[in-house]
Amino acid sequence: MKELLRNISQCTICKAHLPLGPRPVVTAHINSKIVIIGQAPGTKVHESGIPWDDQSGKKLRQWLNVSDEQFYNTENFAIIPMGFCYPGKGKTGDLPPRPECAPQWHEQLLEKMPNVKLIVLIGAYAQRYYLKDKAKKTLTETVGEYKSYLPKYFPIPHPSPTNRFWRSKNPWFEELIVSELQNVIIKLL
């Protein structure tokens, strides 16, 4: 695992497309129990090198009902975004994650983590990649049907502050599903 993470840290596969240059942000351990698969680091995470070290991360840890110590313990959580580096700014937020990372690295990482019991799929990019034709037409439908993906996957929306409109339109997520997610996490930890 150490060698694989070292190789990932030196990856430059999509360097030409990265406005701030490559800085892969990923954490994993051979004993990781839960894998968090999000989109890609934002500028704050690119700067710090610490995954989910921003407002989105605070909200995510709140949804999971875990402390910073629990979340950043790699034996609890591996954090593997769809794109490992900051992809750049788009019209309404960051650009989509670069498409090179997941096919290049995800399978190799997951193969080295035999104790994984759950993969939390955050956002449409992760859900489409992992659920393939089992993903529903929209993220809202996929998240609403989360039980059909258990026990392996738990799809959730992105916890970004820019996603507050979705959360206000879909209060059932935080009212009903977050507690289910917390129950699953507690049992696994």
Side-chain angles (χ1 to χ4, degrees):
M1 178 65 88
K2 284 180 182 167
E3 184 182 342
L4 177 57
L5 289 170
R6 189 171 37 258
N7 291 341
I8 291 169
S9 75
Q10 296 167 4
C11 180
T12 58
I13 196 169
C14 58
K15 181 180 181 176
H17 305 285
L18 301 173
L20 302 180
R23 183 170 193 190
V25 178
V26 57
T27 65
H29 190 282
I30 193 165
N31 295 328
S32 298
K33 298 176 192 85
I34 301 164
V35 178
I36 303 285
I37 300 182
Q39 292 180 191
T43 53
K44 186 168 188 230
V45 170
H46 176 84
E47 251 177 58
S48 72
I50 301 168
W52 296 96
D53 179 30
D54 55 14
Q55 288 304 114
S56 298
K58 284 181 187 170
K59 178 55 90 175
L60 176 60
R61 289 187 291 283
Q62 185 183 13
W63 284 350
L64 299 171
N65 195 28
V66 295
S67 67
D68 289 0
E69 292 75 24
Q70 289 171 306
F71 186 75
Y72 289 112
N73 177 344
T74 54
E75 291 193 32
N76 289 333
F77 292 95
I79 302 171
I80 305 173
M82 290 300 294
F84 295 168
C85 299
Y86 172 66
K89 203 66 154 154
K91 287 179 187 168
T92 58
D94 292 342
L95 289 171
R98 293 293 316 160
E100 296 89 348
C101 293
Q104 178 71 30
W105 300 113
H106 280 210
E107 193 175 319
Q108 291 179 70
L109 282 161
L110 292 170
E111 281 175 2
K112 293 198 180 298
M113 295 185 288
N115 300 321
V116 169
K117 302 288 186 246
L118 179 70
I119 299 175
V120 180
L121 299 172
I122 300 175
Y125 296 108
Q127 291 164 17
R128 280 195 299 265
Y129 187 84
Y130 278 89
L131 301 177
K132 302 192 182 350
D133 60 347
K134 289 183 176 72
K136 305 297 178 205
K137 227 181 309 178
T138 66
L139 174 133
T140 304
E141 291 175 72
T142 302
V143 170
E145 293 291 324
Y146 74 95
K147 284 182 182 174
S148 66
Y149 306 110
L150 289 171
K152 187 173 185 177
Y153 299 113
F154 203 121
I156 65 172
H158 198 284
S160 167
T162 60
N163 211 10
R164 65 186 170 277
F165 178 70
W166 184 92
R167 294 199 318 259
S168 69
K169 249 181 96 177
N170 299 283
W172 50 268
F173 172 72
E174 291 192 61
E175 291 166 6
L176 305 170
I177 297 179
V178 166
S179 62
E180 294 284 332
L181 175 62
Q182 292 172 353
N183 290 336
V184 172
I185 298 296
I186 285 168
K187 285 176 187 152
L188 294 177
L189 295 183

